[in-house]
């Protein structure tokens, strides 16, 4: 990892992490702490679509047809946004592939890549204790035998089995897709990993101390 002299210095960061790892939350905490820009490709896509821009129209067409947005389009969107972030940034949701990472290297120098790792098994057991009410409020059951929890709204919070399976599937797909990317950044000596199974505050602290230690 490149040595970071001061927290006021410009930093170009990439945040990697599976769904449920808390990437978005950590990116926002980091931006508040060190005054860099949060670049979320998901947010940018939604903004372009809402604004009906030329790029937005293209992106919407792919998504409406159930297709992935091609690298060339995503890279173009990131390039535009990077030009507005002269004081440093944290990229969230990009790159997703080695090809995208190579394109990014041609656009800008990346200082560090933070991998927020989650364990599928632990996440699955954490999710097994989650009870969700129809009002949206979530609870953590004290043990697996507690099937439902009385919600303040009068409803009952229960486990959503399909949800749990979907997220575990998404995590394993993410992990196999992103493995080459992790290797790519490891070879560059820019990658470090934090344990995403800790509390939000602890993940932020370990991330911060690894950057500024
Ligand atoms: Zn409720």
């Amino acid at each position: 990892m490149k040595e970071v002299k001061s927290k006021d210095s410009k930093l170009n960061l990439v945040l990697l992490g599976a769904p449920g790892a808390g990437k978005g939350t950590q990116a926002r905490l980091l931006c508040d702490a060190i005054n860099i820009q949060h670049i979320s490709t998901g947010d940018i896509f939604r903004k372009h679509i809402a604004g009906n821009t030329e790029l937005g129209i293209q992106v919407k067409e792919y998504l409406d047809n159930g297709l992935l947005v091609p690298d060339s389009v995503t890279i173009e969107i990131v390039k535009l946004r990077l030009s507005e972030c002269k004081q440093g940034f944290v990229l969230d949701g990009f790159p997703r592939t080695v090809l995208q990472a190579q394109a990014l290297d041609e656009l800008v120098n990346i200082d560090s890549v933070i991998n927020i790792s989650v364990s599928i098994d632990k996440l699955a057991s954490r999710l097994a204790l989650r009870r969700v009410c129809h009002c949206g409020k979530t609870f953590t059951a004290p043990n697996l035998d507690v099937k439902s929890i009385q919600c303040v709204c009068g409803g009952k919070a229960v486990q959503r089995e399909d949800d749990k399976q979907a997220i575990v599937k998404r995590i394993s797909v993410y992990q196999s897709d992103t493995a080459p990317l992790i290797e790519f950044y490891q070879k560059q000596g820019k990658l470090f990993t934090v344990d995403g199974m800790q509390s939000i505050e602890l993940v932020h602290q370990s991330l911060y101390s690894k950057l500024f230690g």
Side-chain angles (χ1 to χ4, degrees):
M1 201 188 101
K2 214 170 177 178
E3 195 182 322
V4 179
K5 298 283 183 218
S6 133
K7 74 186 187 102
D8 296 324
S9 62
K10 178 187 164 207
L11 261 187
N12 296 340
L13 306 173
V14 169
L15 213 52
L16 300 177
K23 241 178 328 145
T25 304
Q26 292 303 328
R28 278 184 288 273
L29 286 173
L30 200 56
C31 290
D32 287 348
I34 60 173
N35 197 29
I36 56 177
Q37 300 281 314
H38 181 193
I39 306 181
S40 154
T41 44
D43 288 351
I44 298 171
F45 283 159
R46 282 184 286 275
K47 205 173 122 194
H48 275 275
I49 291 169
N52 222 20
T53 66
E54 204 176 309
L55 280 169
I57 292 164
Q58 278 186 57
V59 167
K60 193 175 182 304
E61 206 171 303
Y62 290 110
L63 298 180
D64 284 350
N65 289 301
L67 300 169
L68 284 175
V69 180
D71 282 351
S72 57
V73 176
T74 309
I75 291 162
E76 197 53 41
I77 283 178
V78 170
K79 192 174 163 184
L80 273 174
R81 184 74 177 94
L82 283 176
S83 64
E84 306 163 356
C85 301
K86 303 291 180 206
Q87 293 312 306
F89 56 82
V90 52
L91 265 167
D92 158 15
F94 182 91
R96 287 241 155 110
T97 62
V98 170
L99 205 75
Q100 289 184 353
Q102 285 164 338
L104 182 63
D105 276 351
E106 278 173 28
L107 294 174
V108 72
N109 172 61
I110 297 298
D111 297 303
S112 294
V113 178
I114 306 143
N115 178 32
I116 304 178
S117 79
V118 292
S119 134
I120 296 183
D121 290 348
K122 281 190 194 159
L123 201 65
S125 34
R126 187 197 264 185
L127 286 167
L129 291 173
R130 196 163 76 161
R131 305 288 177 266
V132 186
C133 179
H134 63 81
C135 74
K137 204 164 163 46
T138 64
F139 301 86
T140 303
N143 61 65
L144 288 172
D145 294 333
V146 178
K147 301 295 178 207
S148 69
I149 290 175
Q150 186 68 41
C151 181
V152 285
C153 78
K156 272 193 170 134
V158 294
Q159 184 178 22
R160 291 198 309 219
E161 190 59 34
D162 51 339
D163 250 26
K164 180 186 131 195
Q165 282 166 359
I167 199 161
V168 169
K169 174 105 201 297
R170 277 167 60 211
I171 295 165
S172 35
V173 167
Y174 174 88
Q175 287 183 333
S176 52
D177 286 358
T178 319
L181 197 56
I182 287 176
E183 201 189 314
F184 176 85
Y185 283 122
Q186 226 153 20
K187 275 187 188 149
Q188 291 190 351
K190 291 177 180 172
L191 187 92
F192 64 85
T193 298
V194 296
D195 176 8
M197 300 309 293
Q198 310 170 91
S199 70
I200 289 173
E201 183 52 34
L202 278 179
V203 174
H204 174 65
Q205 279 173 17
S206 47
L207 207 151
Y208 191 89
S209 67
K210 283 198 181 180
L211 279 173
F212 304 109

